[in-house]
């Protein structure tokens, strides 16, 4: 009997023993190719020496000092580096311990910003139906994953949800991509006008949707129109890059590929590459200034914010990405992986769509390619795929979720940035075999 309260009470998990490059090994000696970085976390693989060294050195200096009393060198350096990699006016970084905390912090920052500006009536959020922003109550309230929200609904602050940008499913045949992008973006304006611009604080969205849709990027032009609408109605744009940020899509911040600058951006997962838990919110200078010149105090905080060990790991992670030009590698290997998938897995009858950016790739599964009909939920296709893949020594991130009332099964691939050609081939062989075994 395990005294650990695992999320699945009835499953017996293998015990992890060690990791090397893109591989993990359990205590039975079985090897797993990590094709998803856990959940888009292990961006540098499992034995990066520079990150390990940075953590060990920080441990020698000082493992922890509370931010109520001290700042610390790795936090200061990391904040500077993250801002150097971001466009103006994203000039301030608020460090926390993970993705949900980052989203909660951004939501509360939005609220306090408008309070400081003397607009207390601004207190509602708009987000998208197909989205995941975390499991804490505020983040869950803006998220659109109904399966995760359902039983906690009475505890969730009401938020408004509009359609996602999901051309594979929702673009009409008589409509160009651009017309579709404009149509869905304009839903934001319609909802702001319906509720009243004076009440809306912010629009929250993932630039590339991860856990609820399998690496779904928006069509070019969508986020530019969203930005225009936000500017017009004094609504903040919060982009959630907890999963897709920190180089995963081939640019350091995913929003760079959408030609917009958000007012806040949340990052986590890959920031510490799994070596330490850490998350952050990059905040535009005017938001910081409104608070600094107003009450001078952000009414929020967590014990482990700016944790020196976590910041040291993240600083080494970001330096490793920059110094080794891993973004270029992500773009090249991502392209290669996606193309190879199209010619192999993509030919299987139950694969509806293959999409994504960089090494963030989604595969949408359908029971019928022509009608795009999803599998019935009772088949639990994504769970069978995960179990079969693990039996084959392959870690993939499968998802099944209700999207606009439709059940959909997806596979998310997010391998470490260091993946090489032979490992890409092995990934594809194992995935092909797994899908053939399941269908
Ligand atoms: N936001 C997004 C886009 C995510 O994908 C996730 C986690 O999957 C979160 C927030 C929550 O992050 P965490 O699990 O670190 O709390």
């Amino acid at each position: 009997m395990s005294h650990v309260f695992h999320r699945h009470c009835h499953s017996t998990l293998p015990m992890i023993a060690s990791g090397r490059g893109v591989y993990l090994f359990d205590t039975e000696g079985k090897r797993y190719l990590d094709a998803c970085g856990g959940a888009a976390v292990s961006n540098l693989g499992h034995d990066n020496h520079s990150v390990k060294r940075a953590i060990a050195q920080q441990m020698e200096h000082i493992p922890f000092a509370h931010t109520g009393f001290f700042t610390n060198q790795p936090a200061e350096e990391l904040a500077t580096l993250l801002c150097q990699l971001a466009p103006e006016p994203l000039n301030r970084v608020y460090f926390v311990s993970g993705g949900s905390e980052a989203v909660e912090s951004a939501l509360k920052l939005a609220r306090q910003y408008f309070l400081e500006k003397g607009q207390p009536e601004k207190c509602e959020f708009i987000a998208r139906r197909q989205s995941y922003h975390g499991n804490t109550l505020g983040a869950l309230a803006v998220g659109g994953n109904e399966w995760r929200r359902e039983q906690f609904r009475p505890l969730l602050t009401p938020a408004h949800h509009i359609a996602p940008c999901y051309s594979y499913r929702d673009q009409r045949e008589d409509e160009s991509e651009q017309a579709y992008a404009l149509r869905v973006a304009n839903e934001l304006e319609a909802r702001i006008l319906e509720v009243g611009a004076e009440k809306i604080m912010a629009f929250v969205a993932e630039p590339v949707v991860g856990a609820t849709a399998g690496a779904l990027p928006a069509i070019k032009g969508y986020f530019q129109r969203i930005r225009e609408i936000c500017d017009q109605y004094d609504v903040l744009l919060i982009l959630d890059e907890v999963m897709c940020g920190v180089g995963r899509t081939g640019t350091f911040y995913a929003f760079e590929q959408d030609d917009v600058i958000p007012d806040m951006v949340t990052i986590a997962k890959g920031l510490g590459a799994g070596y330490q838990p850490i998350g952050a919110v990059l905040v535009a200078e005017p938001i910081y200034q409104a608070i600094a010149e107003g009450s001078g105090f952000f009414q929020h905080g967590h014990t482990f914010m700016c944790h020196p060990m976590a910041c040291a790991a993240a600083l080494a992670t970001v330096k490793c990405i920059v110094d080794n030009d891993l973004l270029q590698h992500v773009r090249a290997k991502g392209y290669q992986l996606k193309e190879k998938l199209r010619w192999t897995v993509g030919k299987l009858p139950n694969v509806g769509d293959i999409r994504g950016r960089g090494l963030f790739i989604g595969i949408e599964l359908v029971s019928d390619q022509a009608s795009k009909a999803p599998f019935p939920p009772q088949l639990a296709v994504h769970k069978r795929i995960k179990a079969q893949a693990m039996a084959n020594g392959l870690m993939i991130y499968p998802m099944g979720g209700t999207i606009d009332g439709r059940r959909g099964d997806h596979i998310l691939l997010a391998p470490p940035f260091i993946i090489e050609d032979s490992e890409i081939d092995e990934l594809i062989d194992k995935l092909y075999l797994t899908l053939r075994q399941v269908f």
Side-chain angles (χ1 to χ4, degrees):
M1 173 190 151
S2 168
H3 289 281
V4 177
F5 193 151
H6 290 289
R7 65 175 87 186
H8 292 289
C9 300
H10 301 296
S11 60
T12 313
L13 298 168
M15 182 77 75
I16 193 66
S18 61
R20 200 173 58 241
V22 299
Y23 294 101
L24 285 166
F25 300 85
D26 69 18
T27 45
E28 306 281 301
K30 182 165 176 169
R31 190 183 80 157
Y32 304 84
L33 171 55
D34 181 357
C36 58
V41 171
S42 302
N43 290 356
L44 301 181
H46 298 282
D47 61 345
N48 185 286
H49 295 290
S50 60
V51 182
K52 285 184 181 178
R53 211 174 312 117
I55 295 170
Q57 281 170 359
Q58 187 57 43
M59 180 65 101
E60 287 302 316
H61 292 311
I62 178 75
F64 175 73
H66 195 279
T67 48
F69 303 88
F70 297 101
T71 185
N72 64 76
Q73 197 61 36
E76 295 294 337
E77 273 187 55
L78 177 61
T80 303
L81 183 53
L82 290 173
C83 291
Q84 280 167 353
L85 292 164
E88 289 283 341
L90 293 166
N91 264 341
R92 307 281 169 166
V93 189
Y94 191 83
F95 288 118
V96 289
S97 299
S100 301
E101 276 187 18
V103 172
E104 294 286 337
S105 306
L107 301 180
K108 288 172 89 173
L109 268 167
R111 170 65 180 159
Q112 194 172 330
Y113 167 69
F114 284 114
L115 280 179
E116 305 276 3
K117 290 212 311 169
Q119 293 168 271
E121 65 289 357
K122 272 207 186 262
C123 59
E124 297 182 29
F125 293 106
I126 302 180
R128 299 191 297 182
R129 285 196 283 279
Q130 162 224 11
S131 62
Y132 177 57
H133 297 297
N135 264 331
T136 50
L137 293 177
L140 201 59
V142 290
N145 184 323
E146 290 308 321
W147 174 72
R148 289 179 191 264
R149 287 161 49 92
E150 216 169 316
Q151 55 180 318
F152 302 105
R153 204 178 302 281
L155 310 183
L156 304 179
T157 317
H160 307 277
H161 292 94
I162 61 168
C165 185
Y166 195 173
S167 63
Y168 171 68
R169 292 227 163 254
D170 294 335
Q171 188 183 334
R172 292 195 296 252
E173 272 177 20
D174 61 346
E175 193 175 39
S176 70
E177 275 208 328
Q178 264 57 43
Y180 168 68
L182 271 188
R183 174 164 67 82
V184 273
N186 283 336
E187 275 199 27
L188 176 61
E189 181 172 42
R191 189 58 66 91
I192 291 172
L193 293 173
E194 189 187 313
V195 181
E198 70 287 354
K199 291 196 190 138
I200 304 294
M201 284 184 279
F203 175 61
V204 188
E206 295 162 82
V208 183
V209 184
T212 47
L216 180 68
I219 291 169
K220 286 262 176 223
Y222 171 83
F223 274 110
Q224 283 170 310
R225 177 67 190 130
I226 291 284
R227 178 75 270 184
E228 271 174 21
I229 296 167
C230 287
D231 289 344
Q232 187 176 348
Y233 296 100
D234 193 19
V235 167
L236 297 175
L237 176 59
I238 301 175
L239 292 183
D240 181 358
E241 298 204 0
V242 164
M243 210 178 215
C244 63
V246 194
R248 174 66 41 209
T249 64
T251 46
F252 192 81
Y253 297 104
F255 67 76
E256 293 171 52
Q257 294 174 58
D258 292 297
D259 297 321
V260 287
I261 301 175
D263 299 296
M264 285 187 255
V265 54
T266 52
I267 50 177
K269 296 186 187 278
L271 181 57
Y275 290 83
Q276 289 285 308
I278 183 166
V281 193
L282 270 83
V283 182
E285 190 65 18
I287 297 175
Y288 174 80
Q289 286 305 335
I291 295 171
E293 288 164 15
S295 62
F297 176 71
F298 177 32
Q299 185 59 268
H300 184 58
H302 294 282
T303 301
F304 293 127
M305 58 191 296
C306 294
H307 197 289
M309 302 285 288
C311 290
L315 180 61
T317 298
V318 177
K319 280 184 177 167
C320 183
I321 292 171
V322 174
D323 295 349
N324 296 296
D325 202 7
L326 284 183
L327 296 180
Q328 170 57 30
H329 194 77
V330 169
R331 288 194 288 271
K333 297 300 159 197
Y335 176 79
Q336 201 175 315
L337 175 57
K338 203 158 52 177
E339 284 306 297
K340 284 189 173 176
L341 282 168
R342 287 200 169 122
W343 287 103
T344 51
V345 168
K347 301 289 174 201
L348 292 171
N350 298 110
V351 171
D353 192 26
I354 297 180
R355 56 184 174 239
R357 286 184 185 158
L359 280 171
F360 198 42
I361 296 175
I363 301 170
E364 179 154 351
L365 302 166
V366 288
S367 65
D368 178 64
Q369 271 178 341
S371 68
K372 301 182 183 173
F375 284 101
Q378 58 273 22
L379 289 185
V381 164
H382 64 286
K383 288 189 187 156
R384 284 163 50 207
I385 291 172
K386 181 183 174 189
Q388 189 60 55
M390 283 295 275
N392 292 337
L394 179 69
M395 271 172 67
I396 52 175
Y397 189 105
M399 290 156 288
T402 308
I403 293 162
D404 283 0
R406 293 168 307 216
R407 181 82 185 194
D409 290 283
H410 309 90
I411 296 168
L412 185 67
L413 299 177
F417 296 176
I418 54 169
I419 194 164
E420 290 299 350
D421 294 1
S422 61
E423 294 155 347
I424 286 180
D425 290 342
E426 184 186 337
L427 186 168
I428 288 172
D429 288 349
K430 287 192 161 154
L431 183 57
Y432 190 86
L433 173 70
T434 301
L435 294 176
R436 289 294 303 268
Q437 287 167 326
V438 170
F439 295 126

